[in-house]
Amino acid sequence: MSSSAEKSKYSFFESVSLYFDKAAKHTGLDQGLLDQIKSCNSVYKMQFPLQYEDRYEVIEAYRVQHSHHKLPCKGGIRYSSKVNQDEVMALAALMTYKCAIVDVPFGGGKGGVSISTKDHTKEQLERITRRYTVELIKKNFIGPGTDVPAPDYGTGAQEMSWIVDTYRTFYPNELNSHACVTGKPVVQGGIRGRTEATGLGVFYGTKEAVSYADDMEKLGLTTGLEGKTVVIQGLGNVGYWSAKFFHEAGAKIISIAEYNGSIYNPDGLDPDAVHEHRVSTGSIVDFPGSTTLEDRYEALEIECDILIPAALEQQIHMGNANNIKTKIICEAANGPITPEAEEILLSKGVMILPDMYLNAGGVTVSYFEWLKNLSHVRFGRIQKRFEENAYKGILNEVEKLTGRNIEADKKNLLGRGADEQDLVYSGLEETMVKAYQDIREVWRDDSNGIADLRTAAFYIAIMKVAKAYDQLGIFP
Ligand code: NAD
């Protein structure tokens, strides 16, 4: 089973709209307003040439601004041969709801370039990225106050660096030009903690979700991540960092699936060692101590406590949903479960932590990076030393009053001022915990008829966007 049509009768954008409609029924809002919230405000499709020594290639690309109720629009850029308009529209819509859920003051946006990164050299990728940026500039689809891209599938800090450099070439006098894109390397105005932010958010969100004894009891699980068995699909940015944080918290990563093979070890896999093996051999298969699965998709069907799809959309569909044997699915990727599969999984009692909440760590820390760029100062720089001096003063006073010395290691730890990474991690944890509590409150409220976490998350997002429209009014 491989084609989209066999996986679901809905396109990706239709799936997002379906989830939207399911939640919208509970809002009591005017249908016209709901239609406005649901639709994509601007869709920009472009084609541009890439010149090789002996030929040309026409590259197809998109930028979609789903909602202008808050500006700038915000959302990653995806490089994949599967990129199409429907996919970019779906991802842009998810960004609007994601930002609303975690209280990040942006409208949703998304970009996509229909290329396979594996078939292009670094030099070609740089030319494509710079040309794509120029196409965005031409139509005012990029800028610190209008639309701010970030990394997504197939892109990372390197592409963001090329984007900011191209933008600065066109706007050399714009003071805030670095805020035109997030996910940049730290020396180019990026922020510490952005690379791992999405995976870290997946970890914080799941940690919060598994901390409620009554919710876990219904799944036949105990609270906490320690000892839980985990399967991860995709060892890219989001999958690797999720795996690393889960592993460090004592969860057991029993299987990892990649596009060219999946590995299994019931005693647990160390994500760093698997990553190193992949870097040196080009694949995760044949990792020492693991079994290579015959069919790479088999990994999704292994019995485990937590399944983390962290690759692409439509991975759990009507063809394999009945074989899924996990208790919790953490949607690290966007749209990994089709609507048909979700129905099957919910009827089996599987807990699904929805993408629009769970992978919002990336946009949350992108928001922090944007704020850093606008304020032109590193977080922690102003107060770190002041805090350290104050904490050390208090600890010295405690020692004097008690007549006992605090161990040097402990004193150093307690006496530290917060640096940028500390503040980013704490801001992200607070964001993920608070958002989960909001979603859980709606989900567990017996009076509203909302029976799953995705519908609860959509309900909250729709109400927040509707409130913005209500207060702003519609111009003219
Ligand atoms: P990435 O390109 O860094 O990694 C994706 C990984 O998935 C790669 O290792 C790739 O080889 C693997 N893969 C591809 N097809 C596969 C398959 N069929 N089976 C198993 N593995 C497969 O991308 P990423 O940034 O980690 O994004 C992954 C998902 O997370 C996407 O859905 C993306 O939209 C979502 N997401 C990313 C971010 C971010 O900050 N990067 C934020 C939010 C959501």
Side-chain angles (χ1 to χ4, degrees):
M1 172 156 307
S2 58
S3 82
S4 283
E6 286 168 322
K7 289 178 176 175
S8 172
K9 66 177 181 221
Y10 304 104
S11 74
F12 191 5
F13 185 66
E14 284 168 351
S15 319
V16 176
S17 301
L18 202 75
Y19 295 138
F20 179 99
D21 292 340
K22 188 174 168 192
K25 280 197 313 222
H26 301 276
T27 62
L29 294 168
D30 175 81
Q31 190 54 46
L33 180 58
L34 290 169
D35 290 344
Q36 165 60 21
I37 296 171
K38 192 165 68 166
S39 60
C40 288
N41 291 175
S42 314
V43 179
Y44 176 22
K45 178 179 178 183
M46 67 207 92
Q47 266 135 347
F48 52 83
L50 177 70
Q51 190 170 9
Y52 296 86
E53 272 186 12
D54 55 345
R55 66 188 172 94
Y56 295 91
E57 182 189 352
V58 178
I59 309 276
E60 192 166 289
Y62 303 86
R63 183 75 190 169
V64 172
Q65 297 176 345
H66 174 260
S67 182
H68 295 148
H69 75 289
K70 287 195 191 236
L71 288 172
C73 290
K74 189 88 190 75
I77 299 173
R78 176 173 287 198
Y79 284 4
S80 156
S81 52
K82 297 200 178 78
V83 159
N84 58 65
Q85 185 171 319
D86 181 273
E87 179 185 77
V88 185
M89 284 168 62
L91 292 165
L94 281 176
M95 284 305 297
T96 293
Y97 310 130
K98 201 176 291 190
C99 290
I101 288 167
V102 291
D103 283 331
V104 164
F106 297 141
K110 202 79 181 189
V113 182
S114 178
I115 48 160
S116 159
T117 50
K118 294 182 188 75
D119 298 339
H120 290 86
T121 63
K122 188 172 176 191
E123 187 264 336
Q124 288 161 357
L125 288 173
E126 176 172 357
R127 282 198 283 136
I128 293 168
T129 305
R130 288 185 184 277
R131 178 62 188 252
Y132 176 66
T133 309
V134 172
E135 296 298 326
L136 296 180
I137 291 171
K138 283 202 278 195
K139 297 275 192 243
N140 201 22
F141 265 68
I142 185 169
T146 49
D147 195 343
V148 181
D152 189 67
Y153 185 94
T155 59
Q158 175 62 83
E159 287 75 17
M160 305 307 117
S161 231
W162 291 328
I163 291 174
V164 77
D165 185 61
T166 308
Y167 186 84
R168 285 181 54 211
T169 307
F170 281 77
Y171 299 101
N173 299 319
E174 191 173 313
L175 183 63
N176 293 324
S177 57
H178 271 89
C180 76
V181 67
T182 58
K184 303 177 290 291
V186 172
V187 281
Q188 300 305 333
I191 194 166
R192 287 159 189 83
R194 175 61 184 90
T195 307
E196 65 269 39
T198 308
L200 184 59
V202 170
F203 167 71
Y204 285 144
T206 310
K207 188 169 135 207
E208 179 64 15
V210 300
S211 71
Y212 295 89
D214 45 345
D215 298 348
M216 289 304 103
E217 222 168 86
K218 282 188 194 136
L219 298 169
L221 293 173
T222 51
T223 56
L225 284 173
E226 199 168 348
K228 292 223 166 21
T229 51
V230 178
V231 172
I232 300 203
Q233 185 199 38
L235 200 64
N237 173 288
V238 180
Y240 164 73
W241 285 103
S242 302
K244 188 173 165 68
F245 290 118
F246 275 73
H247 176 70
E248 283 170 6
K252 207 194 278 182
I253 315 292
I254 57 170
S255 179
I256 298 177
E258 254 298 328
Y259 76 99
N260 53 359
S262 301
I263 54 171
Y264 173 68
N265 183 343
D267 297 327
L269 297 156
D270 174 353
D272 273 321
V274 177
H275 177 68
E276 275 166 35
H277 176 78
R278 185 184 187 192
V279 171
S280 61
T281 67
S283 168
I284 63 166
V285 301
D286 296 330
F287 176 70
S290 73
T291 315
T292 299
L293 304 177
E294 250 172 59
D295 173 0
R296 68 191 153 110
Y297 287 105
E298 227 182 283
L300 298 172
E301 300 174 15
I302 290 173
E303 187 163 351
C304 61
D305 299 323
I306 298 176
L307 172 61
I308 309 182
L312 281 171
E313 56 266 19
Q314 294 193 329
Q315 297 302 302
I316 301 171
H317 44 77
M318 48 194 180
N320 62 5
N322 273 313
N323 304 332
I324 303 285
K325 293 182 267 303
T326 186
K327 309 256 171 66
I328 302 173
I329 299 183
C330 298
E331 290 192 324
N334 283 309
I337 304 178
T338 65
E340 295 93 338
E342 173 152 287
E343 242 174 72
I344 297 170
L345 294 164
L346 290 177
S347 72
K348 292 205 300 185
V350 177
M351 179 188 215
I352 299 172
L353 300 178
D355 49 6
M356 50 187 310
Y357 158 66
L358 199 66
N359 68 30
V363 74
T364 302
V365 177
S366 274
Y367 169 46
F368 299 158
E369 181 177 331
W370 183 77
L371 291 174
K372 175 186 180 180
N373 294 153
L374 295 182
S375 60
H376 300 267
V377 64
R378 186 184 77 235
F379 286 113
R381 179 171 173 178
I382 309 280
Q383 76 273 33
K384 182 172 190 279
R385 184 66 51 172
F386 177 83
E387 283 173 5
E388 257 173 37
N389 290 338
Y391 296 154
K392 283 193 178 134
I394 294 168
L395 292 171
N396 288 340
E397 208 54 37
V398 169
E399 285 184 329
K400 228 195 287 170
L401 288 170
T402 59
R404 292 170 56 188
N405 285 337
I406 301 169
E407 286 163 36
D409 282 357
K410 209 178 250 179
K411 203 169 168 183
N412 281 338
L413 195 71
L414 294 171
R416 267 181 74 238
D419 62 24
E420 185 168 83
Q421 184 174 318
D422 296 320
L423 293 167
V424 165
Y425 276 39
S426 108
L428 176 58
E429 184 168 12
E430 169 61 19
T431 302
M432 296 306 294
V433 168
K434 164 84 174 59
Y436 187 76
Q437 290 169 351
D438 292 348
I439 296 169
R440 186 175 182 273
E441 198 181 316
V442 172
W443 172 48
R444 296 301 302 265
D445 178 351
D446 291 335
S447 67
N448 62 20
I450 293 176
D452 62 275
L453 286 161
R454 193 189 312 279
T455 308
F458 263 96
Y459 174 85
I460 289 172
I462 295 169
M463 293 307 276
K464 285 188 185 174
V465 179
K467 194 169 180 186
Y469 275 115
D470 188 43
Q471 289 171 348
L472 292 168
I474 309 278
F475 179 82

